[in-house]
Amino acid sequence: MDFDFPLRKIIHVDMDAFYASVEQHDNPDLKGKPVAVGGGSKRGVVSAASYEARKFGVRSAMAGYIARKNCPDLIFVKPRFERYKEISQQVRSVFFEYTDMVEPLSLDEAYLDVTENKKGNPSATLIAKEIRQKILDKTGLTASAGISINKFIAKVASDYNKPNGQKTVNPEEVIQFLEDLDIRKFYGVGKVTAEKMYKLGIFTGNDLKQKSLEFLDNTFGKSGKYYYYVVRGIHNSEVKPHRIPKSVGAERTFFENLSSEVFMLEKLENIANELERRLQKSKIAGKTITLKIKYSDFTLQTRSKTLPYYIAKKELILETAKELLYQSTLENSVRLLGISLANLNTEKKKEEQKNESVLVQLKFDF
């Protein structure tokens, strides 16, 4: 099939079980054993799990006590974010040897546009292989990669041959790859959406492709257009070296549930202090403050207020957060509080992307 948009050479690099792998690397006694980074207590949560732990169904965001129940021999280690950041910087330094078009998604993954690269290498596949080897040599850790014509397909592909592998989806393979793809593997399709699609008889990319744009719009709202185009290999989002954050926030989970607003004020002040520090570091201010409340039964509630001016100081943040806290009666005891600031002074209006049908025969050396 011909494509009606410019083809790029995109690599998605994803470190393998990053936090847990760092712990196993730094402590050889943990190698080959089921490891979870996080807390194993009743209130603890798994931040990351080694591949040995994943065999027992241990996953990130899982409650610690459930993880331990699934895997009685599970070893919990406390997270060391400064160490993870240190290694992440080492990994990124490898990326910049090849291109300045690097868009980090988190400490352990990033997109790279190597259409034009510093090595003058026409093969994105070989570049990905070199990058993974250099990461291993530099950090002792493995990474996986996906290579294709856009960010969506590259991200999906990077999960195919994990751990320590890579997959290239060449331009001429894109359509078949997407048609055969399990709908659960589509980036942006979560559990709830997947179940909704199942009920509509949509199990694969090919099933999705049979649905009209109008049907997808009516059924999935603004996401419908996204699904319509990505299944056709159209995803025009460029690699953005300087990602502009849409919000900045901080939150805290408590060892004991809090049942009164009075007990929460000190916690909110600490959270506001941390948020102010992050805002100052990034030189960001915002207008919309959101208070996040997670109750003891894990239900989540958010309360927001938009001010007519930008703020970044803890005093104003705290004042508004308190106002939101007292806005209505708490539904239950509280296990987590968070404050975030959005509607930032860094935001810019996005230009609408147009998809025009122009048949162009393109060949690319991947």
Side-chain angles (χ1 to χ4, degrees):
M1 177 178 175
D2 299 324
F3 292 95
D4 59 351
F5 50 88
L7 294 184
R8 304 185 183 96
K9 299 181 183 182
I10 307 297
I11 302 173
H12 177 256
V13 180
D14 193 6
M15 300 298 292
D16 298 322
F18 185 51
Y19 295 173
S21 294
V22 171
E23 298 302 333
Q24 289 178 317
H25 174 269
D26 290 356
N27 182 358
D29 290 341
L30 297 177
K31 286 187 177 180
K33 298 178 181 178
V35 173
V37 176
S41 65
K42 187 175 181 180
R43 302 187 59 77
V45 176
V46 175
S47 295
S50 68
Y51 284 99
E52 294 85 357
R54 294 181 188 186
K55 292 177 182 177
F56 293 88
V58 179
R59 295 287 185 271
S60 60
M62 177 180 282
Y65 74 95
I66 294 178
R68 198 180 290 281
K69 186 177 180 181
N70 288 354
C71 181
D73 295 327
L74 189 62
I75 302 169
F76 277 92
V77 294
K78 292 182 179 179
R80 299 179 297 147
F81 290 107
E82 288 307 313
R83 175 60 173 156
Y84 308 148
K85 289 177 184 176
E86 177 189 350
I87 295 180
S88 179
Q89 289 301 318
Q90 294 176 22
V91 171
R92 288 182 191 176
S93 70
V94 173
F95 298 158
F96 287 114
E97 290 181 29
Y98 291 84
T99 178
D100 290 328
M101 297 292 287
V102 177
E103 180 182 343
L105 298 179
S106 59
L107 292 178
D108 60 342
E109 61 175 322
Y111 290 115
L112 288 73
D113 187 333
V114 296
T115 311
E116 295 179 7
N117 58 84
K118 297 176 182 179
K119 303 291 186 179
N121 190 336
S123 172
T125 299
L126 292 178
I127 289 176
K129 189 174 181 180
E130 283 185 23
I131 286 173
R132 290 175 47 242
Q133 185 60 50
K134 285 191 177 182
I135 289 173
L136 179 61
D137 294 341
K138 200 165 193 174
T139 69
L141 303 174
T142 63
S144 296
I147 306 98
S148 197
I149 63 172
N150 63 42
K151 289 161 68 174
F152 173 82
I153 304 170
K155 185 169 177 65
V156 173
S158 68
D159 200 42
Y160 256 69
N161 293 317
K162 269 185 165 291
N164 196 25
Q166 65 181 62
K167 179 174 178 62
T168 298
V169 182
N170 291 297
E172 66 273 13
E173 300 168 338
V174 164
I175 299 305
Q176 191 66 53
F177 175 80
L178 292 170
E179 288 180 352
D180 294 342
L181 196 62
D182 187 315
I183 204 66
R184 292 172 300 178
K185 290 186 178 294
F186 272 72
Y187 181 55
V189 175
K191 185 178 179 181
V192 174
T193 302
E195 289 176 357
K196 186 175 181 179
M197 287 187 173
Y198 287 165
K199 292 176 182 177
L200 295 167
I202 301 172
F203 298 94
T204 66
N206 190 49
D207 296 331
L208 179 62
K209 200 173 181 180
Q210 305 311 309
K211 305 299 181 184
S212 68
L213 177 57
E214 182 182 10
F215 173 85
L216 293 175
D217 263 340
N218 293 336
T219 308
F220 299 101
K222 61 183 180 181
S223 296
K225 187 176 182 181
Y226 165 77
Y227 299 143
Y228 180 85
Y229 284 113
V230 293
V231 78
R232 289 164 171 76
I234 302 170
H235 186 244
N236 293 332
S237 176
E238 297 178 2
V239 171
K240 304 176 184 68
H242 305 289
R243 297 181 77 217
I244 300 173
K246 293 183 178 180
S247 67
V248 180
E251 60 185 42
R252 293 287 182 274
T253 300
F254 312 121
F255 289 108
E256 294 183 2
N257 296 333
L258 304 180
S259 56
S260 169
E261 290 94 336
V262 176
F263 298 138
M264 299 177 196
L265 297 181
E266 181 184 351
K267 308 296 184 184
L268 281 178
E269 186 169 359
N270 292 335
I271 296 169
N273 278 331
E274 174 61 19
L275 180 53
E276 180 189 57
R277 185 189 69 79
R278 295 181 183 182
L279 291 166
Q280 288 178 343
K281 184 178 180 181
S282 302
K283 297 179 180 178
I284 288 174
K287 292 182 178 180
T288 301
I289 293 179
T290 298
L291 177 67
K292 176 181 176 182
I293 304 171
K294 183 178 285 187
Y295 293 102
S296 53
D297 61 357
F298 286 87
T299 56
L300 188 65
Q301 184 183 70
T302 58
R303 305 171 182 178
S304 299
K305 181 177 181 179
T306 298
L307 303 174
Y309 45 81
Y310 290 106
I311 65 170
K313 294 291 185 182
K314 68 175 182 181
E315 290 81 10
L316 289 172
I317 293 171
L318 184 59
E319 179 184 330
T320 309
K322 286 180 181 179
E323 182 183 330
L324 293 170
L325 180 66
Y326 287 110
Q327 184 174 284
S328 60
T329 307
L330 295 174
E331 299 174 1
N332 205 333
S333 58
V334 173
R335 76 186 308 267
L336 176 148
L337 285 173
I339 307 173
S340 63
L341 199 60
N343 198 359
L344 305 178
N345 56 359
T346 56
E347 292 182 0
K348 296 179 180 179
K349 289 184 178 180
K350 294 182 178 178
E351 294 182 0
E352 293 185 0
Q353 296 177 327
K354 296 180 180 179
N355 298 301
E356 300 176 354
S357 296
V358 180
L359 294 178
V360 181
Q361 182 66 42
L362 290 167
K363 293 182 179 180
F364 235 121
D365 179 14
F366 265 69

